[in-house]
Amino acid sequence: MHILLIEDDLDLGQALLQALQQGGFTVQWLRSVAATPPLPDANEVAAVLLDLTLPDGQGMALLRRWRRAGLSLPVIVITARTALQDRLDGLDGGADDYVLKPFDVPELLSRLHTVLRRSARQASEEWTLGALRVAPRRHEAWVGDEPLALSPREFRLLVELAREPGKVVAKNVLAQRLEPLGDALDAATLEVHISNLRKKIGAERVVTVRGVGYRLQP
């Protein structure tokens, strides 16, 4: 897999380049906005690691331009900006993940593998999980051949659980992803949506991991 790395810091860029190559990736390392392609080639690039503060411009403006042009590649933002609003702006601007500097390189690689797996699933028109089928792009879901009548928030909740079936998704992660541009849902409201979703897809499919979160049982 080929990774586009956009990072102007020489030491960090060199460390990431080496770690990615050791992890089996090929890498193109660029250090400025001017050096980046107008639109990365989705047939060649698997994902982008993007610094927000570059010597000749802002990475976020670059990302927003790519998303407006229809780029669907996973993009992980790497930045020293720690403010909540910066993180929300990053997610709203099209970032798939947001990693704060300083970070451990193994953690970034783990997040990269996660977004690549998620992207591979999203590229499919339908996700099949036993009798449950989900079509994220069409906002449709079925149990067997029976279409499900899900509210927008219930559907988003189902998609978040279905991204990696069998894996526990923390309550706070679900609460934030259902309201990515504002305050996370409170625990009681999240429980209500979980309960409603269970009624529609089958209670046995959404497993509670006490004190942690929920997982979708394939």
Side-chain angles (χ1 to χ4, degrees):
M1 288 187 176
H2 188 64
I3 304 299
L4 180 60
L5 170 62
I6 305 173
E7 168 62 62
D8 68 314
D9 185 277
L10 283 172
D11 291 337
L12 178 57
Q14 189 61 50
L16 289 175
L17 178 65
Q18 183 176 353
L20 289 165
Q21 290 174 338
Q22 289 176 346
F25 296 100
T26 60
V27 187
Q28 181 183 14
W29 176 22
L30 305 174
R31 299 183 57 215
S32 67
V33 171
T36 61
L39 193 67
D41 188 341
N43 294 318
E44 296 180 0
V45 179
V48 180
L49 300 179
L50 176 64
D51 186 15
L52 287 189
T53 305
L54 297 165
D56 59 344
Q58 295 297 316
M60 187 51 62
L62 191 64
L63 176 56
R64 288 196 177 99
R65 188 171 74 231
W66 287 345
R67 292 307 193 210
R68 286 196 299 268
L71 183 73
S72 59
L73 289 175
V75 176
I76 297 179
V77 163
I78 48 179
T79 181
R81 300 179 188 177
T82 60
L84 173 61
Q85 190 58 53
D86 285 328
R87 297 198 297 274
L88 294 176
D89 288 346
L91 295 170
D92 185 32
D96 293 87
D97 202 350
Y98 195 102
V99 181
L100 297 177
K101 299 177 182 178
F103 53 80
D104 292 327
V105 172
E107 177 191 358
L108 179 65
L109 294 181
S110 176
R111 288 173 179 258
L112 175 60
H113 284 292
T114 296
V115 299
L116 287 171
R117 287 195 302 269
R118 187 186 303 163
S119 177
R121 288 187 58 79
Q122 289 174 324
S124 173
E125 287 296 323
E126 285 188 13
W127 305 347
T128 301
L129 308 120
L132 177 66
R133 292 182 294 131
V134 183
R137 294 183 180 180
R138 301 200 304 272
H139 288 257
E140 296 176 315
W142 306 261
V143 172
D145 293 324
E146 188 70 25
L148 296 171
L150 301 176
S151 71
R153 193 171 273 171
E154 289 164 0
F155 187 82
R156 290 199 300 273
L157 179 57
L158 175 59
V159 168
E160 291 302 331
L161 291 170
R163 290 187 192 280
E164 294 185 81
K167 179 178 178 181
V168 179
V169 184
K171 290 181 180 180
N172 66 313
V173 171
L174 285 173
Q176 186 62 67
R177 287 180 179 173
L178 293 184
E179 290 292 341
L181 303 183
D183 294 334
L185 295 180
D186 61 76
T189 302
L190 178 60
E191 289 281 357
V192 169
H193 290 306
I194 288 286
S195 177
N196 291 339
L197 183 62
R198 281 181 166 136
K199 292 174 184 176
K200 295 179 180 181
I201 71 172
E204 74 284 354
R205 288 194 170 92
V206 182
V207 177
T208 299
V209 180
R210 191 171 299 278
V212 182
Y214 305 94
R215 73 168 182 265
L216 188 68
Q217 196 66 33

